[in-house]
Amino acid sequence: MRYVFSNLGQGLRRNLSMHLAVILTLFVSLTLVGLGLLVRAQAEKAVDQWGSELQITAFLCRSDDPDPNCQSAVTDQQKQEIERVVEANPEVESYYFESQATAFAKAKELLGPDEADRFEGPNAILTEDDLAESLWITLKDRDEYQGITSEIVGLDGVANVRDQREVIAPLLKIMTAMQVGSLGVAVFLVVAALLLVANTIRLAAFARRKEIGIMRLVGASTAYIALPFLLEAVVTALVAVGLSVVSLGAFMYFGVEQRFTDYLGFIPWVGVDDYLLTVAVVAVLGPVLTLLPTLLLTRKYLKV
């Protein structure tokens, strides 16, 4: 093992500039991959909160509803008629009712537990009665919605109908562009990192060609000779992964927690669980990107 660790230290010092280049390239690419995963998780949270582009929402009448279409709160008979119309429409894939209690719970969740007291007492900013029951309709085709919209908009008990695409489509387009952009640049940098790893192995093998020849003559196996190269790849990957994890953590804390959540509290932001999942992916991807090319190329460059 003394040979292995001695060569590991010599290799890291001898090719320090190349290793730094690999670390920085891999660090940036892993960070962009992590950001892409966080953006994807953020888009999924937005879809869960506001619905997808295939959904429209019918808000039902409530007591003292200011909408001119509502004379009183929706009755059970009116809801049954609305449900019958929705079930009979061929444009509808599925649907579900959301109660006032569920809508109120969502509103409280958006502002977080620190603001829970604002929903209680006589001066509450929002109560359950202030929110309407709603019917969430998922369409088979996002471009075919006129039929179901025209059928339910005039039914008794329906206050208004909202097309979810008007709310969430622009946001999802921005998030998709950010995700594609970050992953695209990450792929480009991953390729650059792989080329740097290959070049580092080639230079290291050339610099140690006499040592490798002696090890061959005394009967050392390819795996034993290649072990220092593999450890160099592991060290490089661990440093890059560590930098990426710290950077993503800083983004989550200083960006999401300290900025976005305060200014845009009505949006459900990514949390610790999403961050830990991203860290797990980055922690696996980093060593894979360095170890695989090292394993493949050592057989070629260690031949004497």
Side-chain angles (χ1 to χ4, degrees):
M1 294 304 290
R2 177 180 296 180
Y3 163 79
V4 172
F5 288 106
S6 174
N7 276 270
L8 171 62
Q10 292 177 11
L12 291 174
R13 290 192 300 269
R14 187 178 298 165
N15 299 304
L16 182 60
S17 59
M18 291 296 296
H19 286 298
L20 288 177
V22 173
I23 288 172
L24 291 176
T25 306
L26 196 59
F27 154 61
V28 175
S29 59
L30 290 175
T31 302
L32 289 173
V33 169
L35 288 175
L37 293 174
L38 290 175
V39 170
R40 179 180 180 181
Q42 181 61 52
E44 291 175 351
K45 286 183 177 291
V47 169
D48 291 340
Q49 179 64 35
W50 296 315
S52 70
E53 291 185 88
L54 291 173
Q55 282 187 322
I56 60 175
T57 307
F59 292 96
L60 308 184
C61 296
R62 55 184 174 85
S63 300
D64 301 323
D65 199 312
D67 195 287
N69 296 325
C70 299
Q71 304 300 321
S72 62
V74 62
T75 64
D76 291 337
Q77 184 176 0
Q78 289 172 339
K79 288 202 292 186
Q80 290 174 3
E81 175 62 17
I82 295 170
E83 188 173 7
R84 185 193 66 79
V85 171
V86 171
E87 284 186 345
N89 192 284
E91 297 175 353
V92 176
E93 177 70 26
S94 61
Y95 68 92
Y96 66 91
F97 283 98
E98 182 177 276
S99 65
Q100 290 176 296
T102 301
F104 185 62
K106 281 186 176 182
K108 292 175 66 176
E109 183 181 356
L110 279 176
L111 290 182
D114 296 337
E115 304 290 337
D117 56 336
R118 301 180 64 184
F119 294 91
E120 301 174 356
N123 297 321
I125 60 172
L126 188 69
T127 66
E128 188 175 307
D129 293 333
D130 294 328
L131 301 173
E133 290 184 78
S134 56
L135 175 64
W136 293 72
I137 302 170
T138 301
L139 305 172
K140 294 179 180 178
D141 187 337
R142 67 179 183 179
D143 296 322
E144 296 182 3
Y145 62 93
Q146 294 89 347
I148 183 62
T149 301
S150 61
E151 284 191 31
I152 63 176
V153 73
L155 293 176
D156 293 335
V158 176
N160 59 77
V161 177
R162 183 178 67 190
D163 187 346
Q164 290 301 111
R165 292 172 300 177
E166 298 176 359
V167 177
I168 198 171
L171 180 62
L172 288 179
K173 287 180 180 178
I174 294 174
M175 290 183 176
T176 300
M178 290 174 61
Q179 182 183 1
V180 171
S182 61
L183 292 179
V185 176
V187 169
F188 175 79
L189 291 174
V190 164
V191 173
L194 293 176
L195 293 175
L196 284 172
V197 170
N199 194 44
T200 302
I201 295 171
R202 184 180 65 82
L203 292 176
F206 180 78
R208 302 179 201 169
R209 62 190 183 281
K210 292 183 180 180
E211 300 173 21
I212 294 171
I214 294 172
M215 295 298 293
R216 286 290 194 193
L217 290 175
V218 299
S221 65
T222 301
Y224 185 75
I225 299 174
L227 190 55
F229 296 92
L230 296 176
L231 290 178
E232 287 180 27
V234 170
V235 171
T236 301
L238 290 179
V239 174
V241 168
L243 292 173
S244 179
V245 168
V246 171
S247 298
L248 292 172
F251 169 75
M252 288 293 297
Y253 181 75
F254 294 107
V256 177
E257 295 292 334
Q258 300 295 319
R259 293 290 185 270
F260 301 157
T261 303
D262 290 341
Y263 296 138
L264 300 170
F266 62 91
I267 296 178
W269 291 99
V270 288
V272 176
D273 293 341
D274 302 297
Y275 170 69
L276 293 178
L277 179 60
T278 301
V279 167
V281 173
V282 168
V284 172
L285 185 60
V288 168
L289 291 175
T290 56
L291 284 175
L292 278 183
T294 302
L295 287 170
L296 293 174
L297 295 173
T298 46
R299 287 184 175 273
K300 175 182 177 180
Y301 291 130
L302 295 186
K303 291 179 181 179
V304 178

